């Protein structure tokens, strides 16, 4: 990948909207249960916790993007290998876990409902469900739909 | 002044070195036809020579050579010529023949001498057996009158029609030359043309609206020839990456996943490594690059799918003009077998024009050129891009010391060294002298914005011919936005000759240095001459290094020049005429005073050729130094095609869709199922 900073942000938001949100929506459908608070919709109960995690992931990513871009400047090719992307996305998730552990979501519900082993397992499964398709999208799915994306440093739209 | 008789030596390149097959004498001024048929005064009888190939016009005040629309063209030295004066400094080249002018002082002393015994083909002046006199000049046949180069040039095709900067479409349409009108015309018919036509087809244009005019039927024919000569056989890997796919406008699936898939289908799990190579590109793992044979196969398949054969017109384009109805007229010549009642000249009219004629010529550095002119019989110095199989065949066939000078430090030099290394399997006496202009220390690589290029063995290493971000990253952004002056600075900082960082190549160098059969030398040649040694003739060279070092003397059997192809568009008669007629602005060239390619906008439009609502675009090497660095690559041509076709879509050009996500996806499915777009 050869992203610019704007391209990094644009691609991240694209993946958030087209992969993160729908998958989290489905995911919440299946994991919603006794955990509260929940969001009743069409007679179903959705847990909004996965959405909170997803938003945290987006936020951490958006903040780290300039850092990546800064380090990219020291690379002769001004590129960012897929392997880096892979590795740092996992790091981003670890940061999110640390933030949750540290208590950034504590204002949403009682600590006892957030910090269970079950929940951390759930966060990880949720992350995997988003990460794998997002990465596949980066590897080629995006350009099937958006032919100009790869020439636009990751930004969307026309030339 | 020309003194008669004029003596010409005709040499032929066969399996071995260049051999003199004939000396002919031209007694007086006249027009001497050259060609395959016996009716010519100078008969060169091999299939590569056209029946009426060229005309040598000899006058008291000079000699001129004129190509007669031959299939394989006529050259002086390495420059292709249409009509050109000939002073004899460089030979005239026609297929495997070279015609040398015998210096006038020597002409009296010698007459016809040693006709080679073993020439299977003939190179004879008609009727000039040992006893018979030299040919009489040809009479005023219609054929000669039509094309005689001494006729005023305005009377010759296409000048007889292209009388001014803007030509009348109506006049062309009523002339005998008219060969149809199309919406989209691409000139060249090589990979650049193919990729452009591929985009148009997928964006919605039918085969009936597109024409490509080129001198090869297969889009990669020229490229394949260059690859083969520079020692990239079908199983060897190219330089571009997995997603540079001239057969697939999306770049997905790339060549790596296709290769992996092929392996997995045969239960070869090693194929998974290709995917990991793509993961690590361009620095963590050795970059994946496809095999040339696989790329050609994939292009064949796509050509079939989009109906390339239906769109291709075989011909050599000789002129382009704007028309008075906001279009373009393209004049070309077809081969003899397609002549209509003897007429081989045609003009096609198009609304949207695309020019992708590739490299104008191969480069021969002056000293090597001089050597070739001095010792035409010695096939000892070669450009890596021309056929030089004879070198490998000769050195592999005997167990004797043979030293080869490889000049240049680019990727082709790496290939040639690899090939010579392979030749060492058969002959351990082969040694390589690698000549480079100057040494480069490990810390002396090019620098740009906080990063530096890696150097190994005095050669800068880089995965592709430009840093990766030149094809769609921040470096492309920077060059696109820069002013021409800023662009040159960026190009100078990023450019330079590089080779790919391949483990096998590094091992070869290491091995060679260790065993003493590979030696890098630095400097430029001062003298280059043939010396007789007890092992036969050899090339003697004095290598002058910079910094007041004494000259090193090198004796070698062959020199293979890997310093490249010529990008200067004025070596192409077509482009030179076009640039002069419409005063096309050129890009600034890298490195003091040189001039770059044709100036194009970021949409790859040649703005100076705009003709009302008609548009002209360019792609490939001929646009070097412009908004995009990597123009002469698969991915670069995909980019320029996308830019120009997108530009056409916005203009509302017929049947070109805006190509949004839905259309893109459905067209991709069609690609996957090999359905017609
Ligand atoms: C040895 C070598 C290796 C390369 N390897 C790679 C690689 O690995 N990856 C990569 O991305 N790029 C590579 N390139 C660069 C580039 O992709 C190729 O050179 C590519 O073929 C360029 O396409 P083109 O259309 O510009 O030129 P070409 O494919 O050469 O096509 C131009 C065509 O126009 C024809 N033509 C010229 N003038 C006229 C005229 N007046 N009338 C009619 N026809 C005309 C020519 O005969 C030719 O057929 C390599 C280049 C070389 C030389």
């Amino acid at each position: 990948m050869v992203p610019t900073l704007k391209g990094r942000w644009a691609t991240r938001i694209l993946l958030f909207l087209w992969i993160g949100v729908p998958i989290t929506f489905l995911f919440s459908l299946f994991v919603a249960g006794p955990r509260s608070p929940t969001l009743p919709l069409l007679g179903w109960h959705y847990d909004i916790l996965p959405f909170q995690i997803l938003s945290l992931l987006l936020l951490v990513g958006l903040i780290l993007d300039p850092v990546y871009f800064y380090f990219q400047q020291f690379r002769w090719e001004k590129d960012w290998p897929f392997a880096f992307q892979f590795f740092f996305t996992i790091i981003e998730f670890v940061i999110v876990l640390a933030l949750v552990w540290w208590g950034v979501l504590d204002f949403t519900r009682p600590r006892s409902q957030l910090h269970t082993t079950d929940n951390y397992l759930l966060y990880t499964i949720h992350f995997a469900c988003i990460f794998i398709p997002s990465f596949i999208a980066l590897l080629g799915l995006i350009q099937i739909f958006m032919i100009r994306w790869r020439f636009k440093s990751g930004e969307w739209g026309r030339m | 002044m020309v003194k008669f008789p004029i003596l010409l030596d005709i040499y032929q390149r066969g399996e071995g070195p260049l051999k003199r097959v004939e000396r002919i004498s031209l007694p007086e001024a006249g027009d001497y036809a050259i060609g395959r048929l016996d009716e010519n005064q100078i008969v060169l009888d091999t299939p590569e020579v056209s029946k009426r190939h060229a005309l040598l016009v000899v006058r008291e005040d000079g000699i001129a050579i004129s190509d007669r629309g031959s299939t394989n063209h006529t050259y002086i030295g390495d420059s292709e010529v249409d009509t050109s004066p000939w002073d004899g400094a460089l030979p005239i080249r026609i297929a495997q023949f070279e015609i040398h002018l015998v210096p006038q002082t020597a002409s009296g002393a010698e007459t016809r001498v040693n006709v080679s015994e073993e020439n299977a083909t003939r190179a004879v002046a008609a009727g000039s057996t040992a006893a018979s006199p030299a040919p009489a000049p040809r009479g005023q046949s219609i054929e000669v009158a039509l094309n005689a180069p001494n006729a005023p040039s305005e009377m010759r095709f296409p000048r007889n029609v292209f009388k001014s900067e803007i030509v009348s479409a109506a006049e062309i349409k009523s002339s005998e030359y008219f060969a149809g009108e199309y919406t989209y015309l691409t000139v060249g018919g090589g990979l650049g043309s193919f990729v452009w036509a591929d985009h148009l087809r997928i964006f919605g244009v039918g085969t009936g609206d597109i024409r490509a005019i080129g001198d090869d039927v297969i889009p990669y024919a020229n490229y394949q020839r260059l690859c083969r000569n520079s020692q990239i056989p079908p199983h060897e890997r190219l330089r571009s990456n997995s997603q540079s796919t001239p057969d697939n406008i999306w770049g997905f699936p790339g060549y790596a996943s296709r290769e992996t898939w092929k392996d997995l289908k045969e239960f070869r799990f090693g194929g998974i490594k290709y995917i990991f190579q793509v993961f690590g590109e361009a620095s963590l793992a050795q970059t994946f690059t496809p095999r040339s044979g696989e790329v050609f196969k994939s292009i064949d398949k796509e050509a079939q799918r989009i109906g390339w054969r239906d769109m291709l017109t075989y011909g050599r384009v000789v002129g382009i003009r704007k028309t008075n109805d906001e279009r373009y007229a393209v004049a070309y010549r077809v081969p003899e077998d397609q002549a209509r009642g003897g007429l081989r000249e045609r003009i096609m009219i198009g609304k949207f024009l695309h020019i992708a004629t590739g490299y104008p010529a191969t480069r021969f550095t002056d000293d090597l050129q001089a050597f070739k002119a001095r010792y035409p019989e010695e096939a000892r110095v070669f450009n890596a891009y021309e056929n030089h199989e004879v070198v490998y065949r000769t050195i592999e066939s005997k167990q004797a010391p043979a030293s080869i000078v490889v000049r240049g430090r680019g990727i082709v030099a790496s290939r040639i060294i690899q090939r010579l290394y392979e030749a060492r399997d058969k002959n351990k006496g082969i040694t390589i002298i690698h000549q480079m202009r100057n040494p480069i220390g490990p810390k002396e690589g090019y620098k740009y914005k906080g990063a530096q290029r890696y150097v190994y063995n005095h050669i800068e290493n880089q995965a592709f011919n430009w840093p990766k971000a030149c094809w769609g990253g921040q470096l492309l952004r920077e060059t696109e936005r820069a002013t021409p002056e800023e662009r040159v600075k960026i190009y100078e900082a990023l450019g330079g000759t590089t080779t790919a960082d391949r483990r096998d190549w590094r091992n070869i160098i290491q091995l060679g240095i260790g065993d003493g059969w590979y030696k890098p030398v630095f400097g430029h040649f001062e003298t280059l001459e043939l010396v007789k040694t007890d092992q036969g003739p050899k090339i003697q060279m004095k290598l002058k290094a910079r910094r007041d070092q004494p000259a090193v003397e090198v004796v070698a059997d062959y020199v293979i020049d890997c310093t490249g192809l010529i990008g200067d568009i004025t070596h192409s008669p077509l482009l030179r005429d076009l640039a002069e007629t419409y005063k096309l602005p050129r890009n600034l060239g890298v490195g003091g005073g040189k001039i770059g390619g044709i100036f194009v906008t970021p949409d790859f439009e040649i703005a100076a050729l705009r003709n009302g609502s008609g548009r002209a675009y360019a792609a490939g090497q001929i646009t070097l130094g412009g908004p995009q660095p990597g123009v002469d690559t698969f991915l670069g041509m995909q980019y320029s095609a996308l830019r120009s076709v997108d530009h056409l879509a916005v203009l509302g050009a017929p049947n070109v869709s805006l190509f949004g996500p839905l259309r893109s996806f459905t067209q991709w499915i069609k690609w996957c199922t090999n359905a017609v777009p």
Side-chain angles (χ1 to χ4, degrees), chain B residues 188 190-192 215 222-223 238-240 317 357-358 632-634 637:
Chain B
L191 285 180
D215 48 12
N222 198 37
Y223 175 57
L238 295 174
R239 194 179 193 181
S240 50
V317 176
T357 47
D632 184 41
T633 61
F634 300 160
M637 290 183 294

Side-chain angles (χ1 to χ4, degrees), chain B residues 73 80 186-195 213-232 237-241 244 246 289-290 292 295 313-319 331-333 354-360 384-385 411-412 415 464-465 471 565 572-575 619-622 630-637:
Chain B
H73 320 307
E80 193 188 320
T186 173
V187 172
L191 285 180
S193 291
F194 177 76
V195 171
I213 310 174
D215 48 12
D216 272 307
V217 179
I218 300 167
Y220 52 78
N222 198 37
Y223 175 57
Q224 189 178 31
R225 198 157 37 233
L226 291 168
C227 279
R228 209 184 307 122
N229 290 343
S230 61
Q231 304 304 311
I232 313 175
R237 291 186 182 277
L238 295 174
R239 194 179 193 181
S240 50
N241 74 357
S244 305
T289 59
S292 69
V295 172
T313 297
Y314 190 90
R316 179 103 196 142
V317 176
V318 291
Y332 60 101
R333 281 206 188 91
H354 180 255
I355 306 174
T357 47
Y359 281 97
Y385 292 99
I411 190 143
V412 172
R415 298 265 182 218
F464 315 114
N465 60 347
W471 286 270
L565 295 157
S572 153
L574 170 71
L575 297 180
Q621 171 67 27
I622 59 171
V631 281
D632 184 41
T633 61
F634 300 160
L635 195 56
M637 290 183 294

Side-chain angles (χ1 to χ4, degrees), chain B residues 527-546:
Chain B
T527 55
L528 196 69
E529 52 196 302
L530 206 66
V531 289
K532 297 257 181 288
T533 71
D534 30 352
Q535 287 146 10
K538 295 211 182 246
I539 313 167
Q540 188 183 40
M541 288 164 275
K542 265 216 186 74
L543 200 65
K544 181 92 177 92
R546 285 174 186 177

Side-chain angles (χ1 to χ4, degrees), chain B residues 72-94:
Chain B
N72 289 314
H73 320 307
T74 303
Y75 299 83
I76 293 183
D78 277 293
S79 312
E80 193 188 320
V81 291
D82 198 22
T83 297
S84 165
W86 184 49
D87 61 5
L90 295 174
I92 293 171
R93 292 201 303 114
I94 289 174

